[in-house]
Amino acid sequence: MIDTQGNGLVFLLCIPRSGSSLSTVMLQNHSRIFATQEMWFLMNLVDLSKADSRAYGGSSIIRQFYQAMVSEDVFEKACRSFALEIYNGFLEGSGADFIVDKSPRYYYMLEWLDRLFPQSRRIHLQRNPLSIAASFKKVDRHTGESFDLIQSLNHPKLHMKAIDLTLGLTRLNDYFAEPHPLAYELKYEQLVMKPQEEMEKLCGFLGLSYEQGMEQYGQFVHSTKADMFYSMGVGDPFLSSHQEAHQGSVNNWKNILDRQEVEWYCRVLGADLFERMGYGEQLQEAERWTGVQFQAEPDQEVLERLQQQLTAATDCRWQQNYRLRAPIDGVENRASLQSSPDSQEAAKIDPTLAAMATIRQLQAALRAADQRLERGYSERERLKKQLDSAQSKLKRIKSWIPFGHQISAWASQRKIVRGGK
């Protein structure tokens, strides 16, 4: 079970489109790990005191209540208790003693995560920034949305995908800039090239023994965990079309982005960030392709404008160049304890509890699937109404056509009478 310090809790930290769905669908196949699709609820907790507008009113009263009557320590304690109920509710009866919270955009609240669960493990998932931008474009094209990389970077209003691709990326690399026993770097490119090797190393970081075949997620597609994972309908929409990791998306950014997009994005990020992330070769390839040698420093004007947009919209204020701050006492002891035979014996649970956990997971999967179906039905109904309206307009236009022929004939006759003028 997760304790108040966060032992047993693992945060998979990255920006969207970094490969977090692939990482999670592999991790969840370990018998001692509970991992599902994106949770995001901690972001809602950290912003709870901001009290968005509600139909029943009282937003100003709620904000005043939190600001004047609830201390920061009490608020954090209450949020921690709520989160523990959620996390441990998932673990109860599952046989797992680790839970992975994979929620892109947790870069939004890194300071708060360190205070809330200081002993939690953090996995930093890295991917070539150009491939991430290409993935945004590819997925939006697939879903029928419109993503314009250059327009998003220059938009006068807040565009969260632009925040992800710039401030989010920079902030996570600042956070993980120094080695820490509670932090582990996982590269997407290495994961798809050597999935078993990377899973073995990742299990070692968590103090667990690697379980054979856990990276072959296609073999677990009919498990209860997989039912819950896929029922959420978020993350990579292409994941379920493959049975195992593949390298098709590793270096396809030149097939998706154009030269102008690559030039703009690399200018905004600056060459130093690519080097820090370990993607200097990819940057050189971008320079050869665009014919531009990029400056080391990022475009501060663009980054400052994006930061101002985010602050204005969310009232979020980050510490500059924030680094992971967590006590390291007891980390090694905790890892050895969790991998010991005694702890594995203790992990064995009542079969009734295991059955109840399975039932809860299946119920959650059914609820998520029902909601997706309901949304799909609503969308179909909306499109049907649009189609009916368009057909009705078309019929009205067609009904005018005979009269239109008469007008045309009348106009032609009148033109002849007037001498063709």
Side-chain angles (χ1 to χ4, degrees):
M1 299 304 242
I2 312 302
D3 64 25
T4 56
Q5 293 297 302
N7 287 298
L9 176 60
V10 183
F11 290 113
L12 180 56
L13 300 174
C14 60
I15 66 171
R17 312 261 47 93
S18 296
S20 58
S21 292
L22 178 65
S23 307
T24 306
V25 80
M26 293 181 184
L27 286 169
Q28 73 167 352
N29 296 326
H30 197 289
S31 62
R32 296 179 62 195
I33 296 177
F34 182 93
T36 187
Q37 275 288 10
E38 301 165 13
M39 299 185 189
W40 288 65
F41 76 98
L42 289 184
M43 296 182 70
N44 186 259
L45 283 182
V46 75
D47 282 341
L48 185 64
S49 61
K50 296 177 183 178
D52 295 334
S53 178
R54 296 289 188 271
Y56 48 76
S59 297
S60 61
I61 298 173
I62 296 173
R63 284 194 293 270
Q64 183 178 353
F65 168 77
Y66 282 114
Q67 293 170 4
M69 300 183 66
V70 181
S71 69
E72 184 175 328
D73 289 343
V74 170
F75 180 74
E76 286 185 9
K77 184 178 179 180
C79 289
R80 183 180 299 109
S81 297
F82 180 89
L84 286 173
E85 287 294 323
I86 297 292
Y87 289 137
N88 287 324
F90 283 130
L91 289 180
E92 185 179 359
S94 68
D97 44 22
F98 279 91
I99 190 164
V100 176
D101 186 342
K102 168 271 234 211
S103 298
R105 291 188 180 152
Y106 269 8
Y107 64 79
Y108 178 76
M109 51 178 196
L110 294 173
E111 296 90 341
W112 200 64
L113 285 182
D114 284 355
R115 295 197 304 269
L116 208 63
F117 294 113
Q119 286 293 315
S120 61
R121 302 297 179 96
R122 288 85 156 175
I123 301 172
H124 183 201
L125 179 58
Q126 294 269 51
R127 187 180 185 183
N128 176 10
L130 291 169
S131 295
I132 295 175
S135 183
F136 269 116
K137 189 173 181 179
K138 178 182 177 182
V139 170
D140 278 14
R141 185 187 300 162
H142 172 76
T143 57
E145 299 178 37
S146 175
F147 174 67
D148 188 306
L149 177 58
I150 297 176
Q151 185 180 18
S152 70
L153 294 173
N154 291 281
H155 205 281
K157 295 183 180 179
L158 177 67
H159 196 300
M160 276 307 300
K161 291 176 182 177
I163 302 295
D164 295 332
L165 289 166
T166 55
L167 301 181
L169 198 65
T170 303
R171 182 161 157 80
L172 283 171
N173 278 275
D174 286 342
Y175 183 71
F176 288 105
E178 300 170 3
H180 196 286
L182 291 170
Y184 181 87
E185 182 178 281
L186 174 65
K187 273 192 159 44
Y188 170 83
E189 293 80 6
Q190 292 297 317
L191 179 64
V192 299
M193 290 175 63
K194 302 176 180 178
Q196 178 176 336
E197 181 179 325
E198 292 303 315
M199 282 295 112
E200 289 175 352
K201 291 190 290 186
L202 190 50
C203 287
F205 164 69
L206 298 176
L208 298 173
S209 299
Y210 165 77
E211 292 184 350
Q212 189 66 39
M214 59 182 291
E215 72 282 354
Q216 301 289 330
Y217 58 87
Q219 297 180 11
F220 298 84
V221 72
H222 298 298
S223 68
T224 302
K225 286 183 176 181
D227 286 339
M228 176 176 281
F229 182 90
Y230 289 111
S231 68
M232 292 290 289
V234 293
D236 186 355
F238 306 107
L239 184 65
S240 59
S241 61
H242 300 281
Q243 300 296 306
E244 58 185 345
H246 65 93
Q247 302 177 34
S249 298
V250 169
N251 199 33
N252 69 342
W253 49 271
K254 285 202 300 185
N255 300 324
I256 298 174
L257 302 176
D258 60 41
R259 283 184 174 85
Q260 189 177 14
E261 289 174 321
V262 171
E263 181 179 343
W264 261 92
Y265 189 39
C266 291
R267 284 186 188 277
V268 170
L269 290 184
D272 277 352
L273 182 60
F274 281 87
E275 295 291 345
R276 286 169 53 194
M277 294 178 66
Y279 294 104
E281 291 183 7
Q282 288 77 5
L283 179 68
Q284 291 175 9
E285 186 177 0
E287 289 180 334
R288 289 192 296 269
W289 192 43
T290 60
V292 177
Q293 185 172 1
F294 301 107
Q295 298 295 318
E297 297 299 316
D299 189 326
Q300 290 295 341
E301 183 179 347
V302 173
L303 296 184
E304 288 174 6
R305 173 172 49 78
L306 293 172
Q307 183 71 66
Q308 290 170 2
Q309 290 174 350
L310 181 66
T311 301
T314 65
D315 197 33
C316 175
R317 289 174 172 79
W318 297 333
Q319 295 183 32
Q320 292 296 316
N321 303 314
Y322 182 74
R323 302 287 195 272
L324 194 165
R325 297 174 186 172
I328 61 176
D329 294 340
V331 172
E332 297 300 327
N333 292 336
R334 174 70 181 177
S336 60
L337 173 65
Q338 289 178 331
S339 59
S340 67
D342 291 340
S343 68
Q344 294 178 13
E345 184 67 26
K348 294 180 180 179
I349 56 171
D350 190 323
T352 302
L353 289 177
M356 293 298 295
T358 300
I359 290 172
R360 285 196 300 272
Q361 291 177 24
L362 289 173
Q363 287 174 335
L366 286 172
R367 286 196 301 270
D370 284 342
Q371 289 174 0
R372 290 183 66 195
L373 286 172
E374 184 178 350
R375 290 196 299 270
Y377 175 78
S378 300
E379 180 65 11
R380 286 196 301 272
E381 289 298 301
R382 182 183 67 82
L383 293 174
K384 184 179 177 181
K385 289 179 180 179
Q386 287 184 350
L387 180 60
D388 290 342
S389 175
Q391 288 176 339
S392 177
K393 291 178 181 178
L394 182 60
K395 288 179 181 179
R396 288 201 301 272
I397 292 172
K398 285 182 177 180
S399 69
W400 298 338
I401 290 177
F403 182 64
H405 287 322
Q406 293 176 15
I407 293 176
S408 178
W410 175 79
S412 297
Q413 292 174 0
R414 184 172 178 82
K415 186 176 182 180
I416 294 173
V417 169
R418 296 179 60 188
K421 297 180 179 179

